[in-house]
Amino acid sequence: NPGAPRPCHDGRGSLPGVAPAAGAAGCRCQAFRPSAHDSKVCATCGHAERLHWTQASRQGFGALLLSCRLSHWQPGSTGLVKIISPKVLAELQFLLDATHKETDNWTRDRGCALHGVNRCAPSCTFTHRAEVPVGYRLETAWRVQSPRLWARYSVTRAAIAKE
């Protein structure tokens, strides 16, 4: 979070040559404030700015990606999640309608209308094409909510974008 306090994470307990505070288990400074003479040094504790981290920045990149959830994901659910939004279902139906081929709509895997699949010569199959659906109606849709897969996708997408 921008502007969040950045406590000091010095694990040594003190600066070199300076005795630690009594009972201190590390620096107790709770927020970085730049020194007047050097903006990269904390005015409160004297530690470098790099020792003052937010909790989010302390996460590894992988942990940060795994903690990311898309805004439209159902909170607390992972795996297959049924889509119930009428708007999303309508958009998916639109995609089915818009991408359905209306003319010369035939696929070889449907086979021959007379003999079936793989029961005649290709020339017979091409001449007697088996019918295919004239359209599709969406019954149900499921979304995969997997932080692990999303993280893998995000890293791959970023790598490809850099090429």
Side-chain angles (χ1 to χ4, degrees):
N1 295 342
R6 299 181 322 179
C8 187
H9 296 285
D10 173 47
R12 296 172 296 168
S14 68
L15 289 170
V18 178
C27 185
R28 294 182 179 186
C29 177
Q30 293 301 306
F32 178 80
R33 286 193 309 238
S35 167
H37 69 278
D38 187 349
S39 63
K40 300 224 179 253
V41 174
C42 181
T44 305
C45 67
H47 287 123
E49 182 180 22
R50 63 181 159 72
L51 291 176
H52 291 261
W53 307 324
T54 62
Q55 286 304 104
S57 68
R58 293 191 71 190
Q59 290 182 335
F61 183 63
L64 180 62
L65 283 173
L66 288 174
S67 69
C68 293
R69 298 264 195 273
L70 298 174
S71 62
H72 63 274
W73 279 13
Q74 190 176 30
S77 297
T78 58
L80 288 176
V81 177
K82 190 173 185 177
I83 297 175
I84 58 174
S85 165
K87 180 182 178 207
V88 173
L89 293 171
E91 289 170 348
L92 292 172
Q93 180 64 57
F94 172 79
L95 288 174
L96 289 174
D97 296 340
T99 58
H100 180 71
K101 186 177 176 185
E102 293 183 16
T103 60
D104 195 30
N105 190 6
W106 174 79
T107 59
R108 187 179 304 193
D109 64 327
R110 298 230 175 224
C112 175
L114 301 176
H115 305 105
V117 179
N118 298 325
R119 293 192 179 146
C120 61
S123 60
C124 184
T125 302
F126 294 137
T127 304
H128 305 102
R129 298 175 176 181
E131 291 185 14
V132 296
V134 294
Y136 300 95
R137 188 184 69 187
L138 184 69
E139 293 286 329
T140 304
W142 298 83
R143 174 180 45 249
V144 176
Q145 286 189 185
S146 171
R148 185 174 304 257
L149 287 176
W150 181 252
R152 183 186 295 173
Y153 165 76
S154 298
V155 168
T156 303
R157 181 181 62 186
I160 291 170
K162 285 190 148 202
E163 290 180 355

